[in-house]
Amino acid sequence: MSAQQLAKIEAMVLFGAHTKQNRGMPSTSMIRAGDRVLVGTRLLEVDAEFAGSLQPGDEVLGVASSGTLRRIPRDVRALVDQGVTRATEAFSQLQAMSAGVVSQFFLVAADLLADDSVFDRIASANAADVVSARERGRSTTRLVLSPKMRSDMIDSFRMWAGFDGTSETVTEVVAHEGWTVEQMRAPLGVIGFVFEGRPNVFADATGVLKGGNTVVFRIGSDALGTASAIMNSVIKPALAKAMLPEGCVTLVESAEHAAGWALFSDRRVSLAVARGSGEAVAELGSIAQQSGVPVSLHGTGGAWMIVGENADPERLGLMIRNSLDRKVCNTLNVICVLRHRAAEIVPVVYGAATEAARSRGTEPRLHAVGGTEEYLPSGITIDVRRAAGVRTESQVTVGSVEDLSREFEWEENPEFHIVLVDTVGEAIDLFNTHSPQFIVSICSDSESEKGEVWNRCNAPFVGDGFTRWVDGQFALLRPELGLSNWQFGRLFSRSGILSGDSAFTVRLRMTQKDPSVRR
């Protein structure tokens, strides 16, 4: 390829270079089927289907990590642009408002959600979302707005109301002769938030207001009706009653994935947060990073448990049962059992899993690795409730070590891997290699084994009990925006729990008492 041709390609795909928002290329007339475009370090050929989907005013975004092209329709970009603009303006206004005003918003929101006449509208919208999701074979384990989820949301709002907040908090004072420097926590700005079918996230993530930030949400199609109902019945009325700008909390009313791509490529967003399935989250993270937007990813989960040399079977049974009560990111996904204790421990694991399943009216679904099948029942078939419907499957199937990286997204039948290992050290190596490096629990009476797991497992969350303790509201009394794994590296200067009060930056303020001070 000649230098002239390459220059033409580079000019054609000015991904993120032509506007202050650092967005994709706006002119679809420049892209035709057969054109080759430079995305990151890759040259891609535009196929006829993609070229034919483009309409005047659309934007084309190149995703460098995967070498793919994404179309952002003009109306979706306009919708996101409007939301971020309103949030940016609201952020400026919010800085002049007191913490008491923000607390009033949370108290009103809690009262509205606790009002049955208000909640009936939300419940109706959620029921419609659940029916639609089931008809499309989608998982509904986190979509159903249960009485427990409603109660937790109300508690979250009230928790934030009573929290002092972090905006303008002095963290350190350095005194000099004649002058001082104060180090202060300060808000970031607009938080862009993309998440899937989780209605409770509204309560959790509005906590960013306590730190002086504003938020723009994009939610997946499964829960969009529920989210709209919460916005109209709780969030907007609470903002109005507290006399806060409506742009403090904005929902992008679009079911298209392009709304997330547009939001995460807008450089006015100070922090992009993504929760959901691993692949979708990874792509959103790549888009934010190449657009110059800091990002916090909360995707693949699945907890691991290691059974030590001195594990107490009764304690282990309780740990397993309490780690399999429902499917979320901190649910038990892999359990490692020492080979020489397999005859004793594997039946304990099976029994505890059976108890957890029967409390849900089902049977457990097990995946045996490393010879575990020798200690499990064989030839049993069970009904497994999948998102697409009930299926008859073998209760126990044999897998390989490579399968341990798979996180099971089960509906009603607790599902996990059991793998035999020769040593605790081997279990740790498997965790560091095949897990998302998220949660690990050690069942052992040995402080040495506990210390080995703490020192060697590359995980932000380590415990010696049930895995479901990993939750901001449960563990730290802080409603969470999400939980970060270390799959893509450790986090800089913060916990793996991202909460509303942990989205901040640092400012320095100098006060000079002696006007003669100079360098």
Side-chain angles (χ1 to χ4, degrees), residues 181-363:
V181 176
E182 293 176 307
Q183 186 166 274
M184 310 177 74
R185 294 173 70 167
L188 284 176
V190 177
I191 311 296
F193 206 109
V194 173
F195 60 102
E196 294 181 348
R198 307 179 186 207
N200 58 306
V201 175
F202 266 102
D204 299 340
T206 52
V208 301
L209 269 67
K210 266 293 185 176
N213 301 294
T214 57
V215 62
V216 179
F217 289 111
R218 184 268 169 184
I219 189 168
S221 59
D222 290 351
L224 184 55
T226 306
S228 297
I230 294 174
M231 278 295 298
N232 293 328
S233 300
V234 174
I235 303 299
K236 289 182 179 179
L239 289 171
K241 189 162 185 179
M243 300 184 70
L244 287 171
E246 189 173 309
C248 284
V249 182
T250 301
L251 174 66
V252 177
E253 301 258 6
S254 173
E256 294 198 43
H257 290 292
W261 306 333
L263 179 60
F264 275 34
S265 60
D266 192 319
R267 288 194 66 185
R268 295 173 297 173
V269 171
S270 297
L271 175 66
V273 182
R275 284 176 67 166
S277 61
E279 187 175 334
V281 165
E283 180 173 74
L284 285 165
S286 178
I287 289 171
Q289 288 167 338
Q290 72 186 46
S291 301
V293 178
V295 65
S296 183
L297 303 181
H298 306 257
T300 305
W304 282 50
M305 189 177 292
I306 298 172
V307 183
E309 187 76 42
N310 301 308
D312 174 61
E314 184 177 353
R315 177 183 175 87
L316 175 64
L318 287 169
M319 289 171 60
I320 293 170
R321 286 198 298 276
N322 294 332
S323 299
L324 291 172
D325 60 327
R326 65 185 291 247
K327 175 53 196 161
V328 282
C329 65
N330 54 24
T331 298
L332 177 62
N333 196 65
V334 177
I335 184 164
C336 303
V337 176
L338 293 176
R339 193 177 303 278
H340 71 274
R341 294 196 67 187
E344 174 194 9
I345 296 298
V346 173
V348 173
V349 175
Y350 179 78
T354 298
E355 289 185 28
R358 288 180 178 169
S359 70
R360 307 178 65 86
T362 64
E363 297 290 336

Side-chain angles (χ1 to χ4, degrees), residues 16-93:
H18 80 286
T19 68
K20 67 180 180 179
Q21 284 84 18
N22 198 21
R23 304 200 297 228
M25 181 180 63
S27 175
T28 59
S29 63
M30 299 174 70
I31 294 184
R32 304 175 185 86
D35 284 345
R36 291 196 292 175
V37 296
L38 187 65
V39 178
T41 59
R42 309 183 192 187
L43 274 176
L44 303 180
E45 184 171 312
V46 180
D47 61 39
E49 182 180 1
F50 182 82
S53 71
L54 300 175
Q55 301 295 321
D58 289 352
E59 291 182 8
V60 176
L61 185 70
V63 184
S65 64
S66 59
T68 56
L69 299 176
R70 296 299 190 188
R71 168 181 170 256
I72 300 178
R74 177 176 59 180
D75 60 338
V76 172
R77 169 56 76 186
L79 194 63
V80 171
D81 185 74
Q82 180 185 45
V84 176
T85 297
R86 291 172 63 239
T88 302
E89 294 171 349
F91 173 73
S92 179
Q93 299 171 46

